[in-house]
Structure formats: structure tokens, C-alpha cells
């Protein structure tokens, strides 16, 4: 089984629908992230969570919300999907165990969830 | 604030030729630098990272990168390209004082037979 599992892997929906993308991990990591990938733009951070009670907005959080249900689960919601939210979404985890270099922790990515909003 | 610029969104090389993917960064504090690779239909995986110490960093699959503070660069190289190196490569920066990893826009590497 994959260390970071994203569901669904592909989803097509209509404008205005509510969508939830789910992420679960078996790494035992405290830190979890949601990124969005668009061609030519790289990855942009939507939300991140350093533990169950610590949730923070990233650079493009508008139109999105998250829930950290447990250490292992971090879900991303689009309350009312719009076409420009069509993208590839990645969940990632990291472990701050590299003491003294907390910014240097390495991300482990899921395989991605491709969302199309019509 | 931190940012990353990857020069060249597409790079093509012949099999056996040198691979050079360029990355320049901006950071107000000493940076941590990373290269990630994304194979088709997969998530990103770490190639190599620089935190402190030796400025020439070796990674997986024969790749290496050199941190040059004076040039604010962290270019990725491989002496001899293999067909299996075809993928998209992302440079990223973070720092001990930041909580976020900032990615570049990516470089798609094509390896020609």
C-alpha cells in the first residue's frame, strides 16, 4: 500500500457542486499539505497542517477548506466548485524529525487527484 | 519572502548527453534547496536536497546539484542522460524560519534516442 493515499484519483463534476478530496497516510507524520498543480505554474500550496489543531492557509486558499480529522487524515473541500479549480491536486506529508532543520523536511507525495469542473 | 525561477520550461537532450536544468532562488534567509522529479501519472519524489555543509549534493539516479550562494543558483546536472530520465523536474526552496516549501514552475525533460 502507498504511504500517502488520495481518493478519488479522478473526478469530473459540475459547477456549483461540493467536492471533497481525501488524503490518508501511514507514515506517522504530523505535517500534512494540500497542493494544486497547474501546467506552467508548478505546485502552489493551498493549506497545511502541522498537527490536528494547527491548520494554516497557504498562498491560494480562497475557495477551499480543509479538515484534519486525525493525524493520518487530511481532507480538502471545494464548497462550490468552479471551472478554474480544474487541476491536479496533491496531498503530501513531512516529518520534522530533522531536528535543527525544520524547514528542510522532505515531502512525501500522494499520486494525485485529478479534478475537472465543467 | 522566497521564490524560485526555473529557466526553460522544456529541455530536450539526446540520450547520453549532459543534462543541465537551471534553478535560481530568492530568499531573505539561508535557504534549504530541493529538486523533486515527477514521472508521468505519479506524485513528486525527492531527487536531492541541500541544507548546510558541502555545496555539491549528490542525489538518486546519478543526479547532482551545486549550491552557489554568490549566484543564488542550484542547477541540476547529470553527465549522461538516460531515456528513463524523461520527466518533469521541480526546484523548491524553504528555510528554517519559514514553514512553507515554494516550488518553481517546473522543467519538462525530454530525452531523444
Amino acid at each position: 500500500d502507498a504511504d500517502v493515499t488520495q481518493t478519488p484519483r479522478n473526478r469530473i463534476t459540475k459547477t456549483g457542486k461540493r467536492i471533497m478530496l481525501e488524503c490518508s497516510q501511514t507514515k506517522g507524520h504530523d505535517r500534512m499539505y494540500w497542493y494544486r498543480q497547474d501546467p506552467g505554474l508548478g505546485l502552489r500550496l493551498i493549506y497545511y497542517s502541522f498537527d490536528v489543531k494547527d491548520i494554516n492557509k497557504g498562498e491560494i486558499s480562497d475557495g477551499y477548506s480543509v479538515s484534519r480529522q486525525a493525524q493520518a487524515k487530511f481532507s480538502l473541500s471545494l464548497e462550490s466548485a468552479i471551472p478554474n479549480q480544474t487541476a491536479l491536486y496533491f496531498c503530501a506529508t513531512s516529518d520534522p524529525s530533522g531536528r535543527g532543520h525544520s524547514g528542510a523536511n522532505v515531502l512525501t507525495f500522494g499520486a494525485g487527484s485529478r479534478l475537472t469542473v465543467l | 519572502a522566497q521564490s524560485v525561477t526555473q529557466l526553460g520550461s522544456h529541455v530536450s537532450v539526446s540520450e547520453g548527453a549532459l543534462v543541465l536544468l537551471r534553478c535560481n532562488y530568492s530568499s531573505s534567509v539561508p535557504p534549504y534547496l530541493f529538486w523533486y522529479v515527477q514521472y508521468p501519472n505519479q506524485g513528486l519524489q525527492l531527487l536531492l536536497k541541500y541544507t548546510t555543509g558541502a555545496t555539491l549534493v549528490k542525489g538518486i539516479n546519478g543526479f547532482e546539484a551545486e549550491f552557489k550562494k554568490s549566484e543564488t543558483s542550484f542547477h541540476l546536472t547529470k553527465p549522461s542522460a538516460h531515456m528513463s530520465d524523461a520527466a518533469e523536474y521541480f526546484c523548491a526552496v524553504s528555510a528554517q524560519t519559514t514553514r512553507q516549501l515554494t516550488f518553481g514552475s517546473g522543467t519538462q525533460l525530454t530525452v531523444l534516442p
Side-chain angles (χ1 to χ4, degrees):
Chain A
D1 289 344
D3 293 327
V4 181
T5 302
Q6 293 184 232
T7 56
R9 292 291 315 278
N10 289 282
R11 182 72 182 270
I12 299 173
T13 191
K14 295 182 178 180
T15 298
K17 294 292 187 181
R18 184 178 187 273
I19 293 296
M20 179 180 287
L21 305 179
E22 297 185 338
C23 177
S24 63
Q25 53 119 341
T26 58
K27 299 284 287 185
H29 290 170
D30 288 324
R31 301 181 177 189
M32 298 188 73
Y33 309 78
W34 276 103
Y35 284 90
R36 168 178 171 159
Q37 183 180 21
D38 298 277
L41 296 179
L43 276 75
R44 293 179 291 166
L45 184 62
I46 307 172
Y47 272 94
Y48 61 103
S49 170
F50 277 19
D51 66 40
V52 175
K53 296 181 180 180
D54 178 20
I55 294 178
N56 305 275
K57 293 181 177 180
E59 76 179 283
I60 55 162
S61 60
D62 288 349
Y64 301 95
S65 62
V66 291
S67 174
R68 185 81 184 266
Q69 300 96 325
Q71 186 207 37
K73 296 184 182 295
F74 191 39
S75 59
L76 176 72
S77 293
L78 289 67
E79 296 301 326
S80 180
I82 56 177
N84 76 1
Q85 292 177 313
T86 293
L88 184 56
Y89 291 85
F90 285 103
C91 176
T93 73
S94 71
D95 179 4
S97 62
R99 308 298 174 192
H101 296 295
S102 61
N105 53 84
V106 174
L107 299 182
T108 300
F109 283 84
S113 294
R114 185 169 296 281
L115 176 65
T116 302
V117 183
L118 302 176
Chain B
Q2 55 194 33
S3 65
V4 174
T5 301
Q6 291 185 238
L7 300 175
S9 58
H10 291 84
V11 171
S12 294
V13 300
S14 298
E15 191 173 19
L18 171 72
V19 175
L20 171 61
L21 305 183
R22 300 178 186 274
C23 172
N24 288 88
Y25 70 90
S26 171
S27 177
S28 56
V29 295
Y32 300 140
L33 295 159
F34 306 79
W35 277 99
Y36 282 83
V37 60
Q38 183 182 27
Y39 298 105
N41 299 314
Q42 295 185 27
L44 283 71
Q45 57 185 275
L46 182 72
L47 266 182
L48 49 80
K49 69 177 181 181
Y50 167 79
T51 54
T52 60
T55 57
L56 182 63
V57 180
K58 295 186 184 298
I60 62 172
N61 301 335
F63 284 93
E64 62 182 36
E66 186 171 12
F67 170 58
K68 292 188 176 180
K69 183 178 179 180
S70 62
E71 298 177 8
T72 61
S73 69
F74 191 57
H75 301 331
L76 182 71
T77 60
K78 181 175 181 178
S80 177
H82 191 273
M83 297 297 288
S84 61
D85 295 326
E88 189 157 22
Y89 293 79
F90 293 91
C91 183
V93 63
S94 71
Q96 190 170 5
T97 56
T98 67
R99 306 177 80 188
Q100 300 180 25
L101 189 64
T102 300
F103 285 88
S105 57
T107 298
Q108 182 69 47
L109 175 66
T110 300
V111 182
L112 305 170

